[in-house]
Amino acid sequence: SIQYPKSARTILFFILSKQAKMMKITVALALVASAAAFVPAQQARMTTRINFEYGQYDDKLWDHAAKKDVYNKWSPTVARTGNNFNPFETFKGNSPDASGVYPGEQWYKDPTRGDVSYAIMMEEKADIEAMAEAPKAGFEPGCAGCKN
């Protein structure tokens, strides 16, 4: 074996001990980093609560009689909901579904419509005109129960 002078042995020991210490630190960091791979990830997504109520006539016949029933229960001064809306109000030329949702909006469902004939349409038109002449108390454009 090779014999080094005492000063060289001290320097060599110092260098080797520093390398050993750095190696220990490197191994410790590697262990910590690899252990992090087995820790469960934090829940990144938040749960969403859906607060939407479908109307009374959802998935039922949505004819003039049903619309009149919803209209009679409608309160213009109360906030607009799936059960409190004016079924005869139009928005961008469209009528709402049975839950007060308009085509193109989220939750819109194409309603089950009743039979239509010219005579029935004329009766409904006269009825709607009579309702427009005598609006409900509290009704004005922009009120709480209106879309417009």
Side-chain angles (χ1 to χ4, degrees):
S1 88
I2 301 173
Q3 292 292 322
Y4 295 103
K6 188 174 182 181
S7 60
R9 278 187 276 164
T10 307
I11 293 171
L12 187 61
F13 176 76
F14 179 74
I15 291 172
L16 291 176
S17 67
K18 261 199 142 164
Q19 285 178 345
K21 190 184 278 185
M22 286 182 63
M23 183 59 94
K24 288 178 187 176
I25 291 171
T26 304
V27 169
L29 288 175
L31 286 173
V32 169
S34 65
F38 298 102
V39 175
Q42 293 286 335
Q43 177 93 12
R45 292 181 4 174
M46 299 287 291
T47 56
T48 304
R49 185 166 174 222
I50 300 172
N51 292 322
F52 181 77
E53 60 175 304
Y54 284 104
Q56 173 185 354
Y57 289 94
D58 184 55
D59 293 331
K60 296 179 185 172
L61 184 63
W62 186 236
D63 60 354
H64 190 70
K67 289 179 182 181
K68 281 196 67 158
D69 183 42
V70 170
Y71 179 80
N72 290 333
K73 294 176 184 175
W74 173 57
S75 174
T77 57
V78 178
R80 193 172 193 280
T81 66
N83 289 310
N84 185 53
F85 66 96
N86 182 353
F88 300 106
E89 179 182 29
T90 59
F91 180 69
K92 296 184 180 177
N94 295 308
S95 296
D97 68 1
S99 301
V101 182
Y102 291 91
E105 295 179 338
Q106 187 177 20
W107 311 115
Y108 176 77
K109 291 171 74 176
D110 195 27
T112 306
R113 302 180 199 285
D115 289 334
V116 182
S117 70
Y118 184 75
I120 293 172
M121 287 172 48
M122 289 297 107
E123 288 175 20
E124 292 175 357
K125 180 181 176 187
D127 197 27
I128 292 169
E129 287 172 352
M131 285 188 284
E133 289 176 10
K136 286 192 154 199
F139 172 72
E140 57 186 46
C143 64
C146 291
K147 175 79 172 179
N148 296 318

